[in-house]
């Protein structure tokens, strides 16, 4: 539906933070340099068939050596912040001993950012657990939560004088359920019980790290980044569909939101997973640690979903009027998100229906208004009452790049995606959501996990042969947004 922000120029509140995001394993390369040892992703990349085309992170975007160039690029794009992650396997290669060379790399990166007036937004964990810790049990083991807090403290000792914003975890849903239940991500385990154990210990690690950082640095800005879905029942008048939407929302969103922000796991989800031994991992005092107050909630949003208790009829048949105009099927061949979006132990029987919306190269439906609804819900039900600020810490789209003879990339599809989602953010702000910034995923095309280098999310094109960076049309456009603190009117729209 058209909103006041749907076509004209849209100005953002003063001080709104504009940035781009990356993650260590996806961009750094230098996999065996500077004392770094294997993370679970290095190991996973060696499993035949685990990662597209056998790709790995040994070189990636060579950001480890090219960080100066990349920071200069961000500066040229008029950005205000860089959201990056630090590699635990670089800092504690054996899982416990601090490696000075690892710390030095991030110290140089932070100095470079500060010299370019970019705010360093540091994420401690973006999925690259040291392999040594996986061998001791990984996230399903309670000890890993305590090791994580030690790592957070070591990072703060090294960088706390220059880094003021600390994110504990990126997307614990992915770490727990893609890593230990569906097996689509490292370490590739396939067990509902392990996924749930990992989920709780990730929460505990978040809480332990947050309380340790708070004690060291009362003025620091602390938070976590979660990935969210917006689950809509296909038929809101059908109690079975409504219940499926409840479970999808519960296992994706509330299982992390509630312990952090309300100090308790959601009762309905505890019921649903009781038979999987979840409650046995939760010890006295854990929830108090997990609910240590945070300052910011990072919101990663790519898409929502229409869910039903019934499968969507394949190929054109549309008995209930829910298939897309192309007779879209329940799970298109090119829709990897639906394969990985259903690894949850409880929600067997959750069927994702296509709504016939346009999709990106990931097969993910483009649904900007879902972001508006998500931010408003978070504000009302979770962050608003606690005075917590919202930041969109990831949003973006994969589309194949067409490189012209002159090297340019005219990615109007990606530009339109970001444009539409920024307008959706502004709709949420206008409705009362306290959103303070937006990070586009991603600065550069990079290692897209199980899909290797086959999917491109960058505002900047990466040539993996030469490591040349070329700013795409979307990147040039995003620079004008950051410089003006406003989204320009769409071509042809009234000013
Ligand atoms: C996020 N899902 O991953 C990550 O934070 C990024 O590292 C990644 O590159 C980006 O989104 C694009 O994929 C996700 O299956 C991976 O729902 C999978 C899902 C969600 C987020």
């Amino acid at each position: 539906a058209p909103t006041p922000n749907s076509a004209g120029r849209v100005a953002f509140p003063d001080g709104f933070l504009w940035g781009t995001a990356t993650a260590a394993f996806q961009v750094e390369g230098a996999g065996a340099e500077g004392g770094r040892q294997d993370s679970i992703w290095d190991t996973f990349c060696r499993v035949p068939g685990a990662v597209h085309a056998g790709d790995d992170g040994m070189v990636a975007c060579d950001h480890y050596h090219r960080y100066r160039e990349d920071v200069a690029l961000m500066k040229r794009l008029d950005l205000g912040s860089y959201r990056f992650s630090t590699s635990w396997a670089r800092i504690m290669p054996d899982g416990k001993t601090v490696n000075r060379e690892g710390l030095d790399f991030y110290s140089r990166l932070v100095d470079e950012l500060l010299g370019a007036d970019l705010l360093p937004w540091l994420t401690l964990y973006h999925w690259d657990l040291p392999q040594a810790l996986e061998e001791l049990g990984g996230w399903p083991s309670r000890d890993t939560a305590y090791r994580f807090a030690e790592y957070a403290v070591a990072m703060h000792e090294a960088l706390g004088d220059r880094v003021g914003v600390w994110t504990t975890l990126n997307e614990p849903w992915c770490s727990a359920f893609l890593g230990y239940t569906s097996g689509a991500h490292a370490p590739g385990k396939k067990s509902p019980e392990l996924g749930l154990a990992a989920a709780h210990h990730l929460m505990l690690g978040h809480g332990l790290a947050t309380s340790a950082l708070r004690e060291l640095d009362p003025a620091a800005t602390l938070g976590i980044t979660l990935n969210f879905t917006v689950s809509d029942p296909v038929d809101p008048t059908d109690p079975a569909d409504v219940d499926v939407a409840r479970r999808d929302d519960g296992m994706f969103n509330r299982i992390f939101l509630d312990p952090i922000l309300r100090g308790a796991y959601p009762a309905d989800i505890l019921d649903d997973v009781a038979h999987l031994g979840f409650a046995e991992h939760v010890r006295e005092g854990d929830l108090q640690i997990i609910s240590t107050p945070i300052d910011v909630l990072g919101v990663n949003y790519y898409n929502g979903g229409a869910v039903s208790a019934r499968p969507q009829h394949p190929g054109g048949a549309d008995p209930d009027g829910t298939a897309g105009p192309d007779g879209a099927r329940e799970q298109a061949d090119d829709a990897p998100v639906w394969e990985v979006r259903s690894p949850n132990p409880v929600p067997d029987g959750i069927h994702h229906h296509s709504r016939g919306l346009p999709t990106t190269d990931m097969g993910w439906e483009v649904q900007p208004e879902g972001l508006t609804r998500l931010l408003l819900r978070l504000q009302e039900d979770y962050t608003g009452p606690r005075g917590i600020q919202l930041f969109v810490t990831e949003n973006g789209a994969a589309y194949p790049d067409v490189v012209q003879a002159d090297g340019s990339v005219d990615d109007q599809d990606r530009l339109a995606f970001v444009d539409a989602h920024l307008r959706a953010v502004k709709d949420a702000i206008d409705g009362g959501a306290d959103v303070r910034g937006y990070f586009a995923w991603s600065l550069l095309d990079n290692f897209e996990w199980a899909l290797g280098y086959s999917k491109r999310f960058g505002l900047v094109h990466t040539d993996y042969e030469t490591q040349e960076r070329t700013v795409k049309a979307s990147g040039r456009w995003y620079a004008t947004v950051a410089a003006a603190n406003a989204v320009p009117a769409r071509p042809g729209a009234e000013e």
Side-chain angles (χ1 to χ4, degrees):
T3 71
N5 297 318
S6 55
R9 180 178 190 273
V10 170
F12 279 73
D14 284 346
F16 195 82
L17 189 64
W18 298 98
T20 56
T22 65
F25 192 81
Q26 295 182 272
V27 298
E28 281 180 8
E33 279 179 64
R36 185 185 181 281
Q37 287 180 32
D38 282 352
S39 74
I40 53 174
W41 270 94
D42 297 275
T43 310
F44 193 61
C45 288
R46 291 184 204 116
V47 176
V51 174
H52 172 87
D55 291 343
D56 63 34
M58 293 309 284
V59 178
C61 305
D62 197 30
H63 183 64
Y64 184 80
H65 297 114
R66 292 168 198 265
Y67 70 93
R68 284 202 172 83
E69 182 192 329
D70 291 337
V71 171
L73 185 58
M74 288 184 260
K75 175 87 188 152
R76 272 211 314 285
L77 295 178
D78 267 308
L79 302 177
S81 182
Y82 179 42
R83 174 177 179 258
F84 62 98
S85 79
T86 53
S87 161
W88 193 349
R90 220 179 256 302
I91 307 299
M92 294 177 162
D94 64 359
K96 49 180 195 282
T97 320
V98 173
N99 167 37
R100 191 75 240 168
E101 260 188 285
L103 290 175
D104 288 348
F105 168 64
Y106 296 108
S107 182
R108 293 194 301 275
L109 172 61
V110 165
D111 285 344
E112 198 70 18
L113 288 166
L114 293 174
D117 266 327
L118 283 142
L119 177 79
W121 186 294
L122 189 153
T123 299
L124 288 162
Y125 188 71
H126 200 127
W127 308 356
D128 41 0
L129 185 73
Q131 179 63 29
L133 292 181
E134 178 57 28
E135 266 140 46
L136 297 173
W139 285 111
S141 158
R142 189 174 172 93
D143 278 349
T144 301
Y146 292 89
R147 299 294 86 77
F148 178 68
E150 289 165 13
Y151 157 59
V153 167
M155 291 307 298
H156 192 274
E157 273 168 17
L159 302 177
D161 57 335
R162 288 159 290 154
V163 173
V165 187
W166 298 80
T167 297
T168 53
L169 308 174
N170 177 74
E171 303 188 349
W173 180 88
C174 292
S175 298
F177 298 120
L178 300 184
Y180 294 92
T181 299
S182 81
H185 281 185
K189 300 273 162 67
K190 293 185 179 157
S191 149
E193 288 86 351
L194 287 180
L196 283 163
H200 180 63
H201 298 137
L202 282 152
M203 286 296 89
L204 183 62
H206 156 76
L208 291 167
T210 301
S211 65
L213 292 173
R214 183 68 79 206
E215 199 158 306
L216 287 169
D217 190 351
T221 299
L222 306 178
I224 187 169
T225 279
L226 302 176
N227 56 313
F228 294 99
T229 189
V230 177
S231 294
D232 292 322
V234 166
D235 178 357
T237 67
D238 179 343
D241 283 10
V242 171
D243 193 57
V244 159
R246 171 193 66 78
R247 288 191 289 144
D248 196 42
D249 175 57
M251 285 301 298
F252 212 94
N253 304 326
R254 290 184 288 118
I255 192 175
F256 299 111
L257 279 170
D258 283 39
I260 296 168
L261 296 167
R262 295 179 168 173
Y265 285 107
D268 59 320
I269 294 305
L270 283 178
D271 266 4
D272 289 347
V273 298
H275 64 292
L276 295 166
F278 181 63
E280 287 151 38
H281 303 293
V282 184
R283 296 194 191 163
E284 175 107 42
D286 283 4
L287 281 154
Q288 207 174 331
I289 295 168
I290 295 169
S291 59
T292 302
I294 55 173
D295 308 295
V296 301
L297 178 66
V299 176
N300 290 1
Y301 175 80
Y302 291 91
N303 61 340
V307 295
S308 171
R310 287 155 298 126
Q312 188 170 29
H313 267 252
D318 188 18
D320 49 17
T322 53
D326 56 352
R329 293 150 302 153
E330 181 199 5
Q331 184 165 313
D333 291 336
D334 59 350
V337 67
W338 293 350
E339 293 159 26
V340 298
R341 271 285 307 284
S342 310
N344 287 333
V346 183
D348 39 348
I350 294 190
H351 299 279
H352 286 261
H353 287 212
S354 163
R355 286 169 287 199
L357 296 171
T359 55
T360 68
D361 198 26
M362 298 293 278
W364 298 348
E365 285 191 334
V366 179
Q367 192 204 354
E369 61 78 30
L371 179 55
T372 309
R373 282 193 281 143
L374 169 64
L375 291 167
L376 288 171
R377 173 200 183 186
L378 292 172
Q379 175 73 27
E380 278 160 35
D381 294 353
Y382 289 98
T383 54
R386 291 161 190 84
I388 295 168
Q389 299 178 352
L390 294 165
F391 284 79
V392 175
T393 40
E394 280 181 34
N395 173 243
Y399 289 107
D401 280 353
V402 180
V403 182
Q404 304 298 321
D406 64 358
S408 64
V409 178
D410 190 23
D411 57 339
Q412 294 301 319
D413 39 17
R414 187 175 289 98
L415 188 160
F417 182 101
V418 177
D419 175 287
H421 285 78
L422 287 176
R423 291 168 188 280
V425 170
K426 186 55 172 24
D427 286 344
I429 293 172
D430 292 348
D434 188 13
V435 189
R436 302 296 185 105
Y438 176 95
F439 292 82
W441 183 271
S442 178
L443 173 66
L444 295 166
D445 297 331
N446 58 46
F447 177 80
E448 180 49 34
W449 306 111
L451 297 167
Y453 298 98
S454 69
K455 302 295 174 198
R456 295 181 176 271
F457 275 92
L459 300 179
V460 175
H461 179 82
T462 305
D463 181 327
Y464 293 109
E465 301 285 310
T466 62
Q467 291 295 344
E468 198 183 332
R469 280 84 160 114
T470 306
V471 180
K472 305 178 193 179
S474 59
R476 286 197 302 275
W477 174 85
Y478 191 61
T480 68
V481 171
N485 199 34
V487 174
R490 282 185 163 152
E494 306 262 320
E495 272 298 319

